């Protein structure tokens, strides 16, 4: 059997080598393109991340109860606010005391207020006309909130307590909000002052001055509001009503309470009407004593004059005789 052996010529070997090189170059180009596309994709994601960071929400005055981490808003529980600032309570109280001596009791209450680190805010004493003695009055004191209960205990010893009430108002949220706004506006005013120092044109200078004036006015108002809140939290007012007589019992509202109030008003109206009638009656009797006889006399005179006017001749008798 004859076996045929294919022998390549030198030109054929050169063509095969050229095709192999071309294939290798093509594969290299595809690999390079794939790498370039991957790099391009990485750059795109990077730019998107930058854009997200640029548009991420920033803390504002309305987000004072929230924190920001990594561009994401993280809510802060109200309990964490209270831990940082503590409860801010506005406390007040009122009492009604039946006392023996109005002026002496007022003097004792003034001394109690001074000993507790407080002061007298208002005082009024009432003297009914013609009596010359004080029978009722009121005095309002302000003491530190920490000594409110001890002060009330001392005041209760001044007289007979007939009514007592106390209340408290939680202003923690308002306090924290106002304090954060004051801090934010203070920093904002500082930045505007820095920009004002480097302003290079008249228009920029005017705009910055207007903005500074507006924010400074808002800052002053908030600062005053925060100061009032601090005073209200630090000091507690106590209103004391004093009387030498028993106070009317304080009753809760409702239908029966309204009915009692309406009946009391009706009786009061009848009393006023009776008083007015009693005041008018003497004048009415005096007028009747004078007016009734005068009316009767005038009627008799009118009846006596009628026959003379009704004469048949139409003239009085004296005229016909003449």
């Amino acid at each position: 059997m004859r076996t045929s052996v294919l022998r390549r010529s030198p030109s054929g070997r050169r063509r095969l080598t050229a095709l192999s090189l071309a294939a290798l170059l093509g594969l290299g180009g595809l690999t390079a393109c794939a790498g370039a596309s991957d790099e391009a994709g990485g750059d795109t994601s990077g730019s998107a991340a930058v854009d997200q960071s640029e548009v991420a929400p920033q803390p504002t005055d309305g987000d004072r109860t929230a924190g920001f981490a990594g561009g994401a808003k993280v809510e802060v529980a109200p309990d964490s606010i209270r831990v940082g600032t503590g409860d801010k309570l506005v406390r007040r109280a009122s009492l009604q005391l039946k006392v023996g001596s109005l002026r002496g009791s007022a003097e004792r209450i003034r001394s109690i207020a001074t000993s507790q680190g407080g002061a007298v805010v208002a005082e009024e004493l009432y003297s009914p006309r013609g009596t010359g003695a004080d029978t009722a009055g009121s005095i309002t004191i302000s003491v530190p909130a920490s000594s409110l209960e001890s002060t009330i205990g001392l005041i209760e010893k001044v007289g007979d307590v007939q009514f007592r009430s106390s209340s408290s108002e939680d202003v923690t949220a308002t306090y924290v909000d106002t304090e954060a706004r004051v801090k934010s506006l203070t920093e904002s005013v500082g930045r505007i002052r820095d920009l004002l120092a480097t302003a290079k044109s008249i228009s920029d200078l005017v705009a910055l001055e207007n903005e500074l004036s507006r924010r400074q006015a808002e800052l002053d108002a908030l600062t005053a509001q925060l100061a009032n809140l601090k005073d209200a939290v630090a000091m507690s007012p106590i209103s004391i009503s004093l009387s030498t007589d028993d106070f009317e019992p304080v009753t809760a509202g409702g239908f029966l309470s309204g009915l009692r109030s309406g009946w009391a008003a009706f009786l009061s109206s009848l009393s006023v009407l009776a008083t007015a009638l009693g005041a008018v009656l003497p004048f009415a009797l005096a007028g009747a004593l004078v007016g009734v006889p005068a009316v009767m006399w005038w009627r008799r005179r009118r009846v006596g004059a009628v026959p003379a006017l009704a004469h048949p001749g139409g003239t009085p008798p004296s005229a016909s005789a003449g």
Side-chain angles (χ1 to χ4, degrees):
M1 182 174 58
R2 187 176 58 181
T3 302
S4 61
V5 179
L6 180 61
R7 296 180 181 272
R8 290 192 178 92
S9 62
S11 61
R13 287 196 299 269
R14 285 194 297 269
R15 291 193 189 97
L16 182 60
T17 302
L19 290 174
S20 299
L21 291 174
L24 291 174
L25 290 175
L27 289 174
L30 291 175
T31 305
C33 291
S37 62
D38 292 339
E39 292 176 359
D43 293 342
T44 303
S45 62
S47 62
V50 172
D51 293 339
Q52 289 295 330
S53 64
E54 290 178 354
V55 299
Q58 299 297 324
T60 61
D61 290 343
D63 296 321
R64 281 170 293 276
T65 60
F68 284 77
K73 184 177 179 181
V74 179
E75 294 294 337
V76 179
D79 292 341
S80 63
I81 296 178
R82 296 180 183 274
V83 170
T85 61
D87 291 339
K88 302 299 181 181
L89 301 178
V90 177
R91 305 176 63 193
R92 57 182 64 88
S94 63
L95 295 93
Q96 289 181 348
L97 298 179
K98 179 183 178 181
V99 296
S101 173
L102 212 65
R103 293 186 179 274
S105 300
E107 180 64 29
R108 290 180 62 184
I109 292 174
R110 286 194 293 268
S111 299
I112 291 172
T114 303
S115 65
Q116 295 294 316
V120 176
V121 177
E123 181 178 348
E124 293 179 349
L125 301 178
Y126 311 105
S127 300
R129 183 176 299 177
T131 62
D134 299 326
T135 60
S138 65
I139 182 170
T140 302
I141 64 176
S142 180
V143 297
S146 58
S147 61
L148 177 62
E149 295 298 332
S150 60
T151 304
I152 292 176
L154 293 173
I155 293 175
E156 288 179 343
K157 298 178 182 179
V158 174
D160 181 16
V161 180
Q162 297 193 344
F163 176 75
R164 170 183 170 176
S165 69
S166 59
S167 63
S168 61
E169 180 184 358
D170 190 352
V171 295
T172 305
T174 304
Y175 188 97
V176 172
D177 179 82
T178 306
E179 193 174 39
R181 293 176 65 187
V182 167
K183 182 179 179 181
S184 177
L185 270 177
T186 302
E187 295 174 354
S188 177
V189 168
R191 289 193 298 269
I192 292 178
R193 291 185 185 277
D194 293 339
L195 291 174
L196 191 63
T198 59
K200 298 183 181 303
S201 63
I202 298 297
S203 59
D204 292 344
L205 187 63
V206 172
L208 288 172
E209 286 181 346
N210 291 336
E211 186 66 18
L212 178 61
S213 299
R214 184 183 67 82
R215 298 196 183 189
Q216 185 64 51
E218 186 177 356
L219 177 60
D220 293 341
L222 286 174
T223 303
Q225 183 179 349
L226 183 60
N228 291 334
L229 280 173
K230 289 181 178 179
D231 291 340
V233 170
M235 304 296 290
S236 296
I238 306 176
S239 301
I240 307 104
S241 298
L242 303 173
S243 177
T244 56
D245 300 324
D246 289 331
F247 288 90
E248 294 184 1
V250 179
T251 57
F255 175 76
L256 294 179
S257 178
L259 183 61
R260 283 192 292 267
S261 299
W263 181 251
F266 175 71
L267 294 180
S268 178
S269 300
L270 289 181
S271 176
V272 172
L273 182 61
T275 302
L277 183 61
V280 174
L281 187 59
F283 297 96
L285 291 176
L289 291 175
V290 176
V292 170
V295 171
M296 294 178 66
W297 173 80
W298 180 75
R299 290 184 66 182
R300 286 198 301 267
R301 181 180 179 186
R302 184 180 179 186
V303 171
V306 170
L309 295 175
H311 190 270
T315 58
S318 59
S320 59

